[in-house]
Amino acid sequence: MAHISLEDVALDFPIYGSQRSFRHELVKRATGGFIRRSKESGGHVVVRALDSINLEIGHGDRIGLIGHNGAGKTTLLKVLARIYHPTEGSAVINGRVSTLFNILPGLDMDDTGYETIRTCGMFLGMSSTEIDRKTPEIVAFSELGDFLGLPVRTYSSGMMVRLGFAIATSIDPEILILDEGLGAGDARFAERAKQRVDDLVERTSILILASHSDALIQSMCNRAALLHGGRIIALGDVDEVIERYHHLNSEAAAAQ
């Protein structure tokens, strides 16, 4: 059964080079972290993007991550996705993880639509047999017809979104890590896409969703975690954590 256990997880990003490079890296990689010198990295300046993260997630959990830009939400998602490895602490993640950070991973613009289905499916962790089984469903949902035999560089942006979304939501994950920024094209397609995401979430053991939308967190999650400065400062009931977040924002606005 899917299960996630994070114990005292911390993550540092070393910063090298000139002051200009430092500012660029700080903004690009870990705006919400705090700066320190790390003995482990030979005294180099590092940005601690996550600090003392403790989190237990089990079957049936739908966790919403909230917090201002730079609070550590995306960094935490990438630890859960096994993209980043903790500098300190332990992250035990049991279960097949699928992420929807990028709806067309491994994209080659010269590949046909059918070739893209296979390549992106493999990047999402599907076997060749699974891709073969799911291809007719992906083809039908994308509604691209004969265009799937053409290179994707000939597609409009809307067609690319349709194909990518159809592939990304065909997975059967145990742990689904979802970015609210996932696009779904025009209004008619967006309505169909919402139902497809709902179906995907329904067949997922664990969901972790990072979002700035109160309504989205409230509709999809049964627990929430508030991140601030790379730490979890509130964890529990969705409405209570959202209220804490708004109170924090009000305090920050009053202090300016």
Side-chain angles (χ1 to χ4, degrees):
M1 188 172 292
H3 184 261
I4 295 171
S5 178
L6 304 186
E7 184 174 349
D8 294 327
V9 164
L11 183 67
D12 292 338
F13 290 117
I15 305 297
Y16 303 104
S18 67
Q19 185 68 19
R20 181 174 181 179
S21 296
F22 170 77
R23 289 197 300 268
H24 174 75
E25 289 297 314
L26 182 60
V27 170
K28 183 179 75 172
R29 299 176 67 176
T31 304
F34 59 89
I35 304 165
R36 69 187 191 104
R37 288 192 179 273
S38 170
K39 294 179 181 178
E40 293 81 2
S41 62
H44 291 297
V45 173
V46 300
V47 172
R48 173 144 290 193
L50 296 176
D51 189 42
S52 302
I53 299 291
N54 292 282
L55 191 59
E56 293 284 333
I57 307 174
H59 176 73
D61 276 337
R62 273 82 176 104
I63 306 294
L65 302 183
I66 61 178
H68 61 76
N69 288 334
K73 300 187 303 297
T74 298
T75 305
L76 179 54
L77 287 182
K78 290 183 177 180
V79 170
L80 295 170
R82 304 188 182 104
I83 295 171
Y84 293 154
H85 297 284
T87 306
E88 298 174 10
S90 66
V92 179
I93 301 164
N94 296 319
R96 177 179 177 180
V97 178
S98 294
T99 65
L100 295 188
F101 299 148
N102 178 0
I103 61 174
L104 281 172
L107 176 66
D108 185 330
M109 297 295 286
D110 288 323
D111 281 351
T112 66
Y114 285 112
E115 290 168 335
T116 298
I117 291 172
R118 179 159 296 277
T119 301
C120 293
M122 288 190 292
F123 267 89
L124 290 169
M126 288 191 273
S127 66
S128 292
T129 301
E130 194 175 3
I131 294 168
D132 290 340
R133 177 168 55 84
K134 291 179 177 291
T135 293
E137 168 208 334
I138 293 169
V139 169
F141 189 82
S142 72
E143 297 183 331
L144 293 179
D146 292 340
F147 281 100
L148 290 168
L150 300 177
V152 294
R153 58 180 162 76
T154 65
Y155 292 9
S156 67
S157 59
M159 292 166 68
M160 294 277 285
V161 167
R162 284 176 177 235
L163 178 59
F165 189 89
I167 298 168
T169 53
S170 68
I171 54 181
D172 291 313
E174 294 177 286
I175 300 170
L176 176 63
I177 299 176
L178 181 62
D179 180 353
E180 69 168 335
L182 185 68
D186 59 48
R188 188 183 73 83
F189 188 75
E191 185 61 32
R192 296 173 59 228
K194 181 182 182 302
Q195 182 58 55
R196 191 166 169 93
V197 168
D198 289 345
D199 293 342
L200 174 62
V201 171
E202 184 66 28
R203 63 179 188 265
T204 298
S205 175
I206 291 173
L207 169 72
I208 303 103
L209 165 68
S211 177
H212 290 286
S213 168
D214 292 353
L216 191 63
I217 294 289
Q218 288 167 327
S219 66
M220 296 184 69
C221 301
N222 56 21
R223 295 168 64 201
L226 171 59
L227 278 86
H228 183 73
R231 293 174 176 261
I232 293 178
I233 63 170
L235 174 66
D237 177 78
V238 170
D239 291 335
E240 291 179 3
V241 173
I242 289 175
E243 183 178 355
R244 173 78 181 275
Y245 177 48
H246 289 308
H247 181 69
L248 188 70
N249 288 339
S250 297
E251 287 182 337
Q256 290 179 352

